[in-house]
Structures are given as structure tokens and as C-alpha cells.
Amino acid sequence: MNWLLDIIESSIGKKLLMALTGLGFCVFLFGHLAGNLTIYGGKDAFNSYAEHLHSLGPILTVAEIGLLIFAMVHILSGIFLFWGNLKARPQRYVMKKSAGGRTIGSRTMPYTGFLVLLFVIFHLMNFHFVDKTNTTIFQIVQNAFSDPIYVGIYIAAMLVVGIHVSHGFWSAFQTLGANHPKYMPLIKGLSICFSLIVGMGFGFLPIYFLFML
Amino acid sequence: MTRSNGKKNINLTLKVWRQVGSDVKGRLETYQANNISTDMSFLEMLDVVNEELIINHRDPIAFDHDCREGICGMCGAVVNGRAHGPEKGTTLCQLHMRHFSDRDTVIIEPWRSRAFKIIKDLVVDRSALDAIIQAGGYISVSAGGTPDANVIPVPQEAAEKAMDAAACIGCGACIAACPNASAMLFVGAKVSHLALLPQGAPEAARRVLKMVQKMDDCGFGNCTNERECEAVCPKEISITNIARLNREYIKAGFL
Ligand code: HEM
Ligand code: SF4
Ligand code: FES
């Protein structure tokens, strides 16, 4: 197993962990969004979707533990990479300009990532670790989104996730070695589409609750 | 950067990083570069400033240079926040003063990276790049008599890509420009030009593992795909070479 440790310790190895777990989250986001779209089908559609999800029982628990492990790996390797990068340039430039490579997404990855973490904790406290005995998930969500402050936080968080993923998505492919003039434009296009879908798809739900329900 | 409007000679204010040695503090010092012909290169402009400093018994600005025609990789400084200055695909020695305007202020700093110690002023120690190449080791060739041409078939496309990667002159601008001071473009180029050719195949796995390990040991940062490197590279080496480096590393590590 030494060879595996060597790989994980290397800069490329940590990037690979970052990319694989990041793409895992992208798949999760896609599924999560698809599930949430049942909200547009009304109260019963959403509640029954939640019920079906929870009837999966042990499968759901395994998936949750998997997500938790992915989160730990993503965050830990992110911290190591960020720390290494700070150390790699002890003396900053007096004047530094972009030569055109960086984007808002790429510039802010560690910060948007950190904000996403804060949001995920907040989000789980809102909707996951709550007493659900005498209520339905739809009611809990509706209740939360009757407060404009919650709506504001959720919309802002979805913007942040969109920015994180706008770089993360294509970057993960590059890290995994998938970059070719033939298909890189497609991956970059998908990256932008995906971040828009995630940002707007999730971001519109709280607005829908606040104004339409 | 704006062009000087037809005027032949320009005057500039330079703010140059001066540092007498590795372990002392440096700082920006201000100099006037007067009556600079716009046909001069950036290094020739520095020569003019240095001549005046020497005449006045002051210490001239130390900077690296050799060929002054963009092929040796010795020159380089961060000029107004850009490695090798504002022009694309250009080394500092090939940057002409016509890209500056009269009365511009020009900030000149050395490459900054933990792996590149400042020796003096704008001169940095880039031997870490040599150490990475050395870690890559040899390639097996049968050192017999002169072989016939084309005994080893190489597809044209592979040859072109290998040549593109081999254009790297090891200047270090990619590291200087990288927000993370990562050397992935340099290492990607060095791994690629051998990995693409049959001559490089026997040692490919060992080479990439050793070079990446050396790169990490030297204290370079981690690539986050910011793409600043390819934007400043005087040889316009593409980050597809970084993707190839990642592929080679995955192949060597897992297969
Ligand atoms: C919905 C949740 C998230 C998704 C979909 C996601 C996705 C991604 C993806 C695809 C990458 C690119 C990997 C690569 O460049 O190879 C990435 C990188 C990164 N993520 Fe996340 N991430 C999420 C949450 C987080 C969290 C919670 C943090 C930190 C607390 C974080 C911090 C980072 C950092 C520091 C990077 C590396 C930046 C870089 O290489 O430029 N991410 N993320
Ligand atoms: S990849 Fe480009 S910028 Fe980096 S050392 Fe080689 S020639 Fe210089
Ligand atoms: S002095 Fe040789 S490349 Fe500039």
C-alpha cells in the first residue's frame, strides 16, 4: 500500500482526490436537483418523493456515509493543497496581474469552497437534523422559506456553489488528464451550463416558495 | 499596454526590486530611464540604466540574460505584474520598448517562488528546474553506429506535439506567473516531449514518478488549473501538456 500513499501524498495525487470527490458532488447535485424539482409538482409530489427516498433505508444510509467521506476527503485535500500553495510563495509580488488565464471561479475556489461548507452545515441543520414527527418535509421547507432572510441566504449560497462548480467541473477533467482540443470546448461549455443549471435550478426554489406558494 | 505614439525616444520611471543577497530583505528602488529608444529591447533599456549607475559609482541592477534572442531561457522578470512583460509569446529580451509609452512607470520584480531563491536583484536560482530534469534520468538508446534515418517510425502528429513540448526553454515564467507557484507546465512539457516519442517509452513510468516527486520536494505549489502559465509562456506551451502529465502519472501510478 506504500505506492498508494506515495501517490496520495503527491501534489497530483491530492488533486486527483479533489477531482474525483468534486465530480462525485456534481453527480450528487444533479440528483438532488432532480429530486427537488418534484416541488413544482406540489406538496404531495414532494412529500412522496421524500418518503420514497427514506424508504430506501440502509441504501440511503450508505449513500450518506459515502457523501460524508467524500466531503472529508475533498475538504482535507483542499486544505493541504491550499496550505502548500501559500507556502510555495512566501514573498508576494508588489504588483501582480492576470495574463488572462484566471476566472472568477478559479480565483476563489478555496473561499467559495469554505462558504459551501458553512452552507451545507446550515442546510443540514435546517432540513435534516430536525424533528419530523408531527410535520412533513414540505411544511418544514415552506416554513423556512417564508422568512426572506433564509431565502436570501439560500440564493446567495447557490450563487456561490455555481461559481465553485464553474471552475471545478472542467478543472476536474483537466486534473484527470482529459483535455484534448477535440472535446475540451465541450467540457468547458458543459461546465458553464452545469453551473447555471445548479445556480438557477436550486436558487429559484426559495423564490418559488416565497412568492408563489 | 499603449504604444508610444510615433515618438522615437521615451522616458520611464522604473521601480526595480533590489536585494543584495538571498537572506537579506529587498525593496523596490526608483530609477529614471531617460531617452530610451523605442527600438531597444527591455534588456537594452536596463543596460542603459546600468551604464548610468556604473558611471555614478552605484551598484548596477543584476539580471540574467544570455542569447537575447528568445531561445536560451536565461532572461525573465515580472514587469508590471506580468511575467516577461505585457506581450504574448515573448521573452523579456524580445520585448521591445515600443510597447511602452512616454512617462510610464514600470515595476520590475524577480520570479517569486519558494523554490527559486533570489541570488541578487532580479537574478534567481532556477537550479530546481535542472534537478527535476535530472530526476527524470536517461532514455535507453542503442549507442551503436549511426542509425539510418526513420528506422523508428514516429507519426507526424506525435512528432509535432513532442516538438511543441520540447520548445520549452526552462525560463520559469510559468512558475512565476502561477498563483500557486506550481511548476506543472514546465514538468508537463518535459514529461510530454519524451512520453510522446517511442524513444521515451521504456522509462516513461519511472520518469514521470521521479520528476513529480522531485517537483514536490523542491517546494513548488500545486496546480489548480488557473491557466496563467500558458498565457505567459514565451513558447506558448499548452496546458494540454499538464493533462498529459496527469495521464502519465495516473498510468505510472496505477497501471
Ligand atoms: C456541492 C459541493 C461541492 C462541489 C460540487 C465541489 C466540486 C468541486 C470540483 C469539481 C472541484 C475541482 C477539482 C479539480 O480541480 O480537480 C473542486 C475543487 C475544490 N473544492 Fe470543491 N466542491 C464542493 C464543495 C467544497 C467544499 C465544502 C469545500 C471546502 C470546504 C471545497 C473546496 C474546494 C477546493 C479548495 C478545491 C480546489 C480548488 C482548485 O483546485 O482550484 N469544495 N470542487
Ligand atoms: S513551460 Fe514556458 S514558461 Fe514554463 S519554463 Fe518552459 S518556456 Fe518557460
Ligand atoms: S536572454 Fe535568452 S531567452 Fe532571453
Side-chain angles (χ1 to χ4, degrees), chain A residues 91-107:
Chain A
Q91 173 127 35
R92 311 259 115 194
Y93 288 102
V94 177
M95 186 182 198
K96 190 73 181 72
K97 272 199 204 134
S98 166
R102 312 185 81 180
T103 60
I104 313 167
S106 75
R107 270 172 195 280

Side-chain angles (χ1 to χ4, degrees), chain A residues 3 10-11 15 81 85 87-89 91-95 97-99 101-102 106 167 170-171 174-175 177, chain B residues 78 81-82 109-110 112 114 175-176 178 180 215-216 222-228 239 243 246-247 249:
Chain A
W3 62 273
S10 78
S11 55
K15 282 291 301 181
L81 290 168
N85 290 342
K87 271 201 316 188
R89 179 166 291 133
Q91 173 127 35
R92 311 259 115 194
Y93 288 102
V94 177
M95 186 182 198
K97 272 199 204 134
S98 166
R102 312 185 81 180
S106 75
H167 177 70
W170 85 265
S171 171
Q174 163 79 6
T175 302
Chain B
V78 172
R82 297 269 197 95
E109 295 178 75
R112 295 197 190 280
R114 179 157 71 107
I175 294 129
C178 175
N180 310 310
M215 169 183 88
D216 290 344
N222 311 293
C223 175
T224 61
N225 302 323
E226 298 263 15
R227 291 158 56 238
E228 288 293 315
I239 61 161
N246 290 334
R247 283 202 295 280
Y249 191 80

Side-chain angles (χ1 to χ4, degrees), chain A residues 15-16 18-26 28-29 71 74-75 78-79 81-82 106 109-118 120 161 164-165 167-173 175-176 194, chain B residues 223-226:
Chain A
K15 282 291 301 181
L16 289 173
M18 214 65 204
L20 289 172
T21 50
L23 280 182
F25 289 149
C26 288
F28 163 75
L29 282 184
H74 196 77
I75 293 165
I79 290 172
L81 290 168
F82 184 62
S106 75
M109 286 307 269
Y111 318 112
T112 49
F114 180 67
L115 289 176
V116 172
L117 175 64
L118 293 185
V120 167
V161 172
H164 192 78
V165 167
H167 177 70
F169 191 84
W170 85 265
S171 171
F173 284 90
T175 302
L176 293 170
F194 187 67
Chain B
C223 175
T224 61
N225 302 323
E226 298 263 15

Side-chain angles (χ1 to χ4, degrees), chain B residues 43 64-76 84 91-94 169 171 235:
Chain B
L43 298 190
D64 257 332
H65 61 105
D66 190 7
C67 71
R68 298 208 175 194
E69 53 181 318
I71 56 172
C72 76
M74 279 305 283
C75 65
H84 286 306
T91 53
L92 195 60
C93 59
Q94 294 289 87
I169 53 176
C171 62
K235 300 298 149 187

